[in-house]
Amino acid sequence: MQHHSSPSQEGATLPRALLIAFHFPPQSESSGIQRTLSFSRHLAQFGWTPMVLSAHPMAYERKNASQLASLPPELIVRRPLALDAKRHLGWKGRYLQLTALPDRWISWWLFALPCALAMVRKHKPAVIWSTFPISTAHLIGLCLHRLTGLPWVADFRDPMLQSDFPSNRWQRKLFGWIERLAIRHCTHATFTTQGALESYRARFPQALHHKFVVIENGYDEQTFAQEPHACALPGQPGQTRPLTLVHSGVLYTEGRDPSAFFQALAMLRARGLVDAQRLRVILRAPGDLDYFTQLAQRCGVIDLVHIAPPVPYRQALHEMLEADGLLVFQGRPFNRQAPAKIYEYFRARKPVLGLLDLEGETAGMLRSAGFPDLVEMTDPEAIAPVLTRFLRAISDGTAHVASEALVAASSRTHRTRQLAELFTQSLP
């Protein structure tokens, strides 16, 4: 699980950056692995040699080794022990709250800090970068910065404190404490959306606002380039293939709840506007497969909706490329966030139906990009006509797709250039 290289391979003349990230291959549950993975792959193009401090794979509940092949062979990766309080320190899913504060992987800090100090002594990085939403990553970054004096860039893929998260009182107190120290001591704080940055401006003194920078998520062109061009899914001989809509990624009972969408599908079927011969909806890797299968059954649309298990990342991209249209669910709890898959949707050059809170960041992004089919995700009566219009536009070839300019600006290579420039600005 460790990767080594010779000094000549590493680019001895380039400054080093130590990336601290819990979500990293072979972890497979969070799309956040793509952000760190792309930075580790592309930083060398922009004058920085990356190395990664992650967690031992036993910390991950779900693993997929396929993306380990995407790591550059010269990349140095260290994986100190990290225990999951729920799985390793609990009994039948129950565990002491104290062992899971600020998060279930606080034990990672105990093993990662000495490992990080050893990496600093041996490899002499010029900058530290850590990424949330595992708060222990920022705790490691904070301690390492205080012990070494190295510049520190704190990356917030999501805001640490939100109106209803964390809900646990003690966890919320500790999140707030880590967040305050991170903002006070970091050289720069990066956010994935402008809305998230504005929320931090509202909560922190103006004297700290100069630290705040947006580096959005994106898509990885190299991965897309390995896929064949988008093509139509084959139908059965003598049959017309149904239009296929895909949502790729986790859904929730709040904020990404497909219930109203299912109800809208049932309405359209009752009116004779859709059936299983004309429409197929794939919800790929939504999380609790049994729950969403039962939900589709209760709504009477199980013949239209396929609840599909996780697949390797490249296979999921291939499915997007073959789909006729793509779905995104992003409700009010996530108004200051934009799912990373949006940028992959742009690159797939497919029509997008947004089931959203219309005041949120994702709705604003899609609106600015020219996508017209956006609707309040909790209102089946509103969804039905928008879905009808969306399907009609796909059928007649008039559905909107991302512009070439938007696709170019959304690449992770472009985002890595922004991060490299920020690293350079951080140097004393």
Side-chain angles (χ1 to χ4, degrees), residues 267-288:
M267 288 179 192
L268 295 185
R269 207 233 318 260
R271 297 170 192 165
L273 297 176
V274 300
D275 55 43
Q277 285 69 50
R278 287 180 282 176
L279 179 65
R280 177 176 171 81
V281 177
I282 299 172
L283 302 186
R284 174 65 64 185
D288 189 333

mmCIF file of all heavy atoms in Angstrom, residues 267-288:
data_model
loop_
_atom_site.group_PDB
_atom_site.id
_atom_site.type_symbol
_atom_site.label_atom_id
_atom_site.label_comp_id
_atom_site.label_asym_id
_atom_site.label_seq_id
_atom_site.Cartn_x
_atom_site.Cartn_y
_atom_site.Cartn_z
ATOM 1 N N MET A 267 -47.605 9.513 -11.433
ATOM 2 C CA MET A 267 -48.631 10.363 -12.065
ATOM 3 C C MET A 267 -48.557 10.261 -13.587
ATOM 4 O O MET A 267 -49.586 10.125 -14.267
ATOM 5 C CB MET A 267 -48.402 11.826 -11.668
ATOM 6 C CG MET A 267 -48.731 12.181 -10.250
ATOM 7 S SD MET A 267 -48.353 13.948 -9.993
ATOM 8 C CE MET A 267 -48.455 14.019 -8.214
ATOM 9 N N LEU A 268 -47.346 10.356 -14.131
ATOM 10 C CA LEU A 268 -47.181 10.329 -15.585
ATOM 11 C C LEU A 268 -47.583 8.978 -16.154
ATOM 12 O O LEU A 268 -48.168 8.895 -17.236
ATOM 13 C CB LEU A 268 -45.736 10.661 -15.969
ATOM 14 C CG LEU A 268 -45.246 12.073 -15.629
ATOM 15 C CD1 LEU A 268 -43.837 12.299 -16.165
ATOM 16 C CD2 LEU A 268 -46.199 13.128 -16.184
ATOM 17 N N ARG A 269 -47.301 7.904 -15.406
ATOM 18 C CA ARG A 269 -47.705 6.588 -15.883
ATOM 19 C C ARG A 269 -49.234 6.465 -15.871
ATOM 20 O O ARG A 269 -49.830 5.912 -16.794
ATOM 21 C CB ARG A 269 -47.062 5.483 -15.051
ATOM 22 C CG ARG A 269 -46.909 4.195 -15.876
ATOM 23 C CD ARG A 269 -47.498 2.980 -15.228
ATOM 24 N NE ARG A 269 -47.243 2.880 -13.840
ATOM 25 C CZ ARG A 269 -46.287 2.116 -13.303
ATOM 26 N NH1 ARG A 269 -45.463 1.439 -14.070
ATOM 27 N NH2 ARG A 269 -46.171 2.036 -12.017
ATOM 28 N N ALA A 270 -49.870 7.015 -14.832
ATOM 29 C CA ALA A 270 -51.333 6.959 -14.744
ATOM 30 C C ALA A 270 -51.994 7.721 -15.899
ATOM 31 O O ALA A 270 -53.091 7.375 -16.331
ATOM 32 C CB ALA A 270 -51.797 7.529 -13.400
ATOM 33 N N ARG A 271 -51.290 8.738 -16.405
ATOM 34 C CA ARG A 271 -51.816 9.526 -17.535
ATOM 35 C C ARG A 271 -51.431 8.920 -18.889
ATOM 36 O O ARG A 271 -51.734 9.492 -19.938
ATOM 37 C CB ARG A 271 -51.293 10.962 -17.454
ATOM 38 C CG ARG A 271 -51.736 11.716 -16.213
ATOM 39 C CD ARG A 271 -50.992 13.038 -16.086
ATOM 40 N NE ARG A 271 -51.189 13.639 -14.766
ATOM 41 C CZ ARG A 271 -50.433 14.624 -14.283
ATOM 42 N NH1 ARG A 271 -49.443 15.130 -15.019
ATOM 43 N NH2 ARG A 271 -50.663 15.112 -13.081
ATOM 44 N N GLY A 272 -50.710 7.796 -18.850
ATOM 45 C CA GLY A 272 -50.305 7.139 -20.079
ATOM 46 C C GLY A 272 -49.131 7.792 -20.779
ATOM 47 O O GLY A 272 -48.874 7.524 -21.955
ATOM 48 N N LEU A 273 -48.383 8.651 -20.067
ATOM 49 C CA LEU A 273 -47.273 9.374 -20.695
ATOM 50 C C LEU A 273 -45.948 8.626 -20.608
ATOM 51 O O LEU A 273 -45.035 8.906 -21.390
ATOM 52 C CB LEU A 273 -47.128 10.760 -20.044
ATOM 53 C CG LEU A 273 -48.340 11.685 -20.220
ATOM 54 C CD1 LEU A 273 -48.144 12.983 -19.458
ATOM 55 C CD2 LEU A 273 -48.561 11.966 -21.707
ATOM 56 N N VAL A 274 -45.790 7.713 -19.644
ATOM 57 C CA VAL A 274 -44.580 6.894 -19.549
ATOM 58 C C VAL A 274 -44.969 5.465 -19.199
ATOM 59 O O VAL A 274 -46.021 5.214 -18.608
ATOM 60 C CB VAL A 274 -43.568 7.424 -18.491
ATOM 61 C CG1 VAL A 274 -43.118 8.840 -18.811
ATOM 62 C CG2 VAL A 274 -44.152 7.342 -17.082
ATOM 63 N N ASP A 275 -44.103 4.545 -19.594
ATOM 64 C CA ASP A 275 -44.219 3.149 -19.164
ATOM 65 C C ASP A 275 -42.837 2.524 -19.296
ATOM 66 O O ASP A 275 -41.883 3.176 -19.737
ATOM 67 C CB ASP A 275 -45.264 2.386 -19.983
ATOM 68 C CG ASP A 275 -45.012 2.465 -21.478
ATOM 69 O OD1 ASP A 275 -43.832 2.338 -21.903
ATOM 70 O OD2 ASP A 275 -45.984 2.659 -22.234
ATOM 71 N N ALA A 276 -42.739 1.257 -18.906
ATOM 72 C CA ALA A 276 -41.426 0.607 -18.872
ATOM 73 C C ALA A 276 -40.832 0.404 -20.256
ATOM 74 O O ALA A 276 -39.622 0.202 -20.386
ATOM 75 C CB ALA A 276 -41.535 -0.742 -18.146
ATOM 76 N N GLN A 277 -41.642 0.461 -21.305
ATOM 77 C CA GLN A 277 -41.115 0.336 -22.663
ATOM 78 C C GLN A 277 -40.527 1.653 -23.163
ATOM 79 O O GLN A 277 -39.711 1.660 -24.081
ATOM 80 C CB GLN A 277 -42.216 -0.122 -23.634
ATOM 81 C CG GLN A 277 -42.575 -1.594 -23.527
ATOM 82 C CD GLN A 277 -43.288 -1.905 -22.213
ATOM 83 O OE1 GLN A 277 -44.245 -1.215 -21.854
ATOM 84 N NE2 GLN A 277 -42.804 -2.913 -21.498
ATOM 85 N N ARG A 278 -40.956 2.755 -22.543
ATOM 86 C CA ARG A 278 -40.501 4.065 -23.014
ATOM 87 C C ARG A 278 -39.501 4.740 -22.094
ATOM 88 O O ARG A 278 -38.774 5.646 -22.524
ATOM 89 C CB ARG A 278 -41.711 4.986 -23.199
ATOM 90 C CG ARG A 278 -42.561 4.648 -24.411
ATOM 91 C CD ARG A 278 -43.733 5.595 -24.543
ATOM 92 N NE ARG A 278 -44.818 5.258 -23.612
ATOM 93 C CZ ARG A 278 -45.924 5.975 -23.479
ATOM 94 N NH1 ARG A 278 -46.081 7.086 -24.187
ATOM 95 N NH2 ARG A 278 -46.866 5.594 -22.626
ATOM 96 N N LEU A 279 -39.431 4.331 -20.809
ATOM 97 C CA LEU A 279 -38.568 5.026 -19.851
ATOM 98 C C LEU A 279 -37.964 4.049 -18.853
ATOM 99 O O LEU A 279 -38.664 3.179 -18.331
ATOM 100 C CB LEU A 279 -39.365 6.090 -19.086
ATOM 101 C CG LEU A 279 -38.582 6.884 -18.029
ATOM 102 C CD1 LEU A 279 -37.483 7.723 -18.680
ATOM 103 C CD2 LEU A 279 -39.507 7.762 -17.206
ATOM 104 N N ARG A 280 -36.689 4.231 -18.598
ATOM 105 C CA ARG A 280 -35.973 3.451 -17.572
ATOM 106 C C ARG A 280 -35.140 4.422 -16.754
ATOM 107 O O ARG A 280 -34.380 5.227 -17.303
ATOM 108 C CB ARG A 280 -35.082 2.408 -18.230
ATOM 109 C CG ARG A 280 -34.228 1.581 -17.267
ATOM 110 C CD ARG A 280 -33.468 0.516 -18.062
ATOM 111 N NE ARG A 280 -32.463 -0.192 -17.292
ATOM 112 C CZ ARG A 280 -32.690 -1.211 -16.464
ATOM 113 N NH1 ARG A 280 -33.938 -1.623 -16.284
ATOM 114 N NH2 ARG A 280 -31.718 -1.820 -15.829
ATOM 115 N N VAL A 281 -35.281 4.379 -15.436
ATOM 116 C CA VAL A 281 -34.524 5.235 -14.522
ATOM 117 C C VAL A 281 -33.581 4.346 -13.708
ATOM 118 O O VAL A 281 -34.027 3.376 -13.089
ATOM 119 C CB VAL A 281 -35.465 6.014 -13.572
ATOM 120 C CG1 VAL A 281 -34.656 6.848 -12.589
ATOM 121 C CG2 VAL A 281 -36.423 6.894 -14.374
ATOM 122 N N ILE A 282 -32.296 4.672 -13.732
ATOM 123 C CA ILE A 282 -31.302 3.923 -12.969
ATOM 124 C C ILE A 282 -30.803 4.808 -11.826
ATOM 125 O O ILE A 282 -30.280 5.897 -12.070
ATOM 126 C CB ILE A 282 -30.113 3.493 -13.855
ATOM 127 C CG1 ILE A 282 -30.585 2.589 -14.993
ATOM 128 C CG2 ILE A 282 -29.041 2.784 -13.015
ATOM 129 C CD1 ILE A 282 -29.508 2.271 -16.018
ATOM 130 N N LEU A 283 -30.977 4.360 -10.595
ATOM 131 C CA LEU A 283 -30.377 5.022 -9.434
ATOM 132 C C LEU A 283 -29.186 4.161 -9.018
ATOM 133 O O LEU A 283 -29.347 3.117 -8.384
ATOM 134 C CB LEU A 283 -31.388 5.151 -8.299
ATOM 135 C CG LEU A 283 -32.683 5.920 -8.622
ATOM 136 C CD1 LEU A 283 -33.523 6.082 -7.366
ATOM 137 C CD2 LEU A 283 -32.376 7.279 -9.243
ATOM 138 N N ARG A 284 -28.006 4.588 -9.419
ATOM 139 C CA ARG A 284 -26.789 3.806 -9.203
ATOM 140 C C ARG A 284 -26.155 4.144 -7.848
ATOM 141 O O ARG A 284 -25.892 5.297 -7.554
ATOM 142 C CB ARG A 284 -25.788 4.102 -10.337
ATOM 143 C CG ARG A 284 -24.416 3.459 -10.175
ATOM 144 C CD ARG A 284 -24.486 1.950 -10.231
ATOM 145 N NE ARG A 284 -24.948 1.481 -11.545
ATOM 146 C CZ ARG A 284 -25.194 0.213 -11.816
ATOM 147 N NH1 ARG A 284 -25.072 -0.721 -10.867
ATOM 148 N NH2 ARG A 284 -25.624 -0.149 -13.027
ATOM 149 N N ALA A 285 -25.956 3.129 -7.037
ATOM 150 C CA ALA A 285 -25.287 3.255 -5.729
ATOM 151 C C ALA A 285 -25.935 4.312 -4.839
ATOM 152 O O ALA A 285 -25.256 5.205 -4.335
ATOM 153 C CB ALA A 285 -23.799 3.561 -5.935
ATOM 154 N N PRO A 286 -27.266 4.219 -4.603
ATOM 155 C CA PRO A 286 -27.933 5.243 -3.792
ATOM 156 C C PRO A 286 -27.681 5.102 -2.293
ATOM 157 O O PRO A 286 -28.057 5.989 -1.526
ATOM 158 C CB PRO A 286 -29.404 5.016 -4.103
ATOM 159 C CG PRO A 286 -29.497 3.556 -4.389
ATOM 160 C CD PRO A 286 -28.222 3.211 -5.108
ATOM 161 N N GLY A 287 -27.068 3.993 -1.869
ATOM 162 C CA GLY A 287 -26.839 3.770 -0.441
ATOM 163 C C GLY A 287 -27.587 2.535 0.021
ATOM 164 O O GLY A 287 -27.201 1.414 -0.306
ATOM 165 N N ASP A 288 -28.656 2.739 0.771
ATOM 166 C CA ASP A 288 -29.442 1.628 1.302
ATOM 167 C C ASP A 288 -30.334 1.068 0.178
ATOM 168 O O ASP A 288 -31.443 1.555 -0.071
ATOM 169 C CB ASP A 288 -30.290 2.121 2.473
ATOM 170 C CG ASP A 288 -30.984 0.987 3.228
ATOM 171 O OD1 ASP A 288 -31.243 -0.070 2.605
ATOM 172 O OD2 ASP A 288 -31.285 1.170 4.416
#
